[in-house]
Amino acid sequence: MDSIWKYPIKTDDSQRLEMPLGAEILSVQVQKNEPFIWARVSTNNPKAFRELRIFGTGHAMDENFNGVHVGTYQIYGGDLVFHVFDMGWQ
Protein backbone atom coordinates (compact mmCIF):
# COMPACT_ATOMS: atom_id res chain seq x y z
CA MET A 1 0.00 0.00 0.00
CA ASP A 2 1.27 3.48 -0.86
CA SER A 3 1.13 6.38 1.55
CA ILE A 4 2.78 9.78 2.01
CA TRP A 5 5.08 10.05 5.01
CA LYS A 6 6.83 13.07 6.50
CA TYR A 7 10.46 12.95 7.66
CA PRO A 8 12.21 15.63 9.73
CA ILE A 9 15.62 16.61 8.43
CA LYS A 10 18.47 18.39 10.15
CA THR A 11 20.36 21.31 8.70
CA ASP A 12 23.61 19.30 8.72
CA ASP A 13 26.07 18.57 5.91
CA SER A 14 24.89 14.96 5.61
CA GLN A 15 22.43 12.58 7.17
CA ARG A 16 20.73 9.25 6.64
CA LEU A 17 16.98 8.73 6.64
CA GLU A 18 15.43 5.33 7.16
CA MET A 19 12.52 4.87 4.76
CA PRO A 20 10.92 2.09 2.71
CA LEU A 21 12.96 1.13 -0.37
CA GLY A 22 11.78 2.85 -3.53
CA ALA A 23 10.40 5.90 -1.68
CA GLU A 24 9.83 8.88 -3.98
CA ILE A 25 10.75 12.25 -2.48
CA LEU A 26 7.92 14.66 -3.29
CA SER A 27 8.79 17.88 -1.51
CA VAL A 28 11.16 19.64 0.89
CA GLN A 29 9.56 22.40 2.97
CA VAL A 30 9.59 24.10 6.34
CA GLN A 31 6.71 23.46 8.72
CA LYS A 32 6.55 25.32 12.03
CA ASN A 33 10.14 26.54 11.51
CA GLU A 34 11.54 23.00 10.98
CA PRO A 35 12.60 21.41 7.65
CA PHE A 36 10.89 18.22 6.47
CA ILE A 37 10.84 15.89 3.48
CA TRP A 38 7.57 14.39 2.24
CA ALA A 39 7.84 11.11 0.36
CA ARG A 40 5.50 8.65 -1.29
CA VAL A 41 6.33 5.27 0.17
CA SER A 42 5.19 1.69 -0.32
CA THR A 43 4.54 0.63 3.25
CA ASN A 44 5.06 -3.06 2.36
CA ASN A 45 8.66 -2.48 1.21
CA PRO A 46 11.56 -3.20 3.58
CA LYS A 47 13.27 -0.16 5.07
CA ALA A 48 16.73 1.02 4.10
CA PHE A 49 18.84 4.12 4.62
CA ARG A 50 18.94 6.98 2.14
CA GLU A 51 21.76 9.48 2.31
CA LEU A 52 21.12 13.21 1.97
CA ARG A 53 23.58 16.06 1.59
CA ILE A 54 22.64 19.65 2.38
CA PHE A 55 24.45 22.75 1.16
CA GLY A 56 23.82 26.33 2.13
CA THR A 57 23.72 28.90 -0.64
CA GLY A 58 27.30 29.93 -1.41
CA HIS A 59 28.86 26.86 0.23
CA ALA A 60 31.50 24.99 -1.77
CA MET A 61 30.62 21.73 -3.53
CA ASP A 62 33.14 19.22 -4.85
CA GLU A 63 33.35 19.49 -8.66
CA ASN A 64 32.69 15.73 -8.91
CA PHE A 65 29.56 15.92 -6.73
CA ASN A 66 26.78 13.83 -8.27
CA GLY A 67 23.79 14.15 -5.92
CA VAL A 68 20.27 14.69 -7.27
CA HIS A 69 18.61 17.92 -6.14
CA VAL A 70 15.31 17.17 -4.40
CA GLY A 71 14.42 20.56 -2.96
CA THR A 72 15.35 23.85 -1.35
CA TYR A 73 14.15 25.34 1.93
CA GLN A 74 14.53 28.64 3.75
CA ILE A 75 14.74 29.33 7.47
CA TYR A 76 14.91 32.49 9.60
CA GLY A 77 12.57 34.38 7.30
CA GLY A 78 14.66 33.54 4.24
CA ASP A 79 17.98 34.67 5.74
CA LEU A 80 19.38 31.15 5.29
CA VAL A 81 18.68 29.00 2.23
CA PHE A 82 19.61 25.31 1.99
CA HIS A 83 19.61 22.88 -0.93
CA VAL A 84 18.93 19.16 -0.37
CA PHE A 85 20.50 16.46 -2.56
CA ASP A 86 19.73 12.75 -2.64
CA MET A 87 22.84 10.56 -2.67
CA GLY A 88 20.93 7.30 -3.05
CA TRP A 89 20.38 4.21 -0.95
CA GLN A 90 23.08 3.04 1.45
Side-chain angles (χ1 to χ4, degrees):
M1 169 183 274
D2 281 4
S3 183
I4 296 176
W5 288 0
K6 177 174 81 171
Y7 297 89
I9 58 173
K10 299 177 208 145
T11 303
D12 288 338
D13 290 344
S14 66
Q15 61 198 283
R16 293 171 55 185
L17 291 182
E18 186 177 28
M19 55 178 42
L21 276 170
E24 174 190 4
I25 295 175
L26 301 173
S27 182
V28 179
Q29 295 187 39
V30 173
Q31 184 180 46
K32 297 181 182 177
N33 299 315
E34 298 294 328
F36 291 90
I37 283 179
W38 282 263
R40 179 180 177 175
V41 303
S42 293
T43 56
N44 296 329
N45 288 359
K47 291 185 179 178
F49 287 97
R50 194 168 199 165
E51 175 135 9
L52 302 177
R53 293 284 310 272
I54 298 178
F55 295 91
T57 298
H59 292 196
M61 297 172 75
D62 185 307
E63 64 184 52
N64 296 321
F65 181 77
N66 62 356
V68 175
H69 182 260
V70 294
T72 295
Y73 66 92
Q74 300 179 33
I75 56 176
Y76 302 118
D79 288 343
L80 297 176
V81 181
F82 295 93
H83 312 278
V84 182
F85 292 84
D86 181 7
M87 302 303 295
W89 298 98
Q90 304 297 309

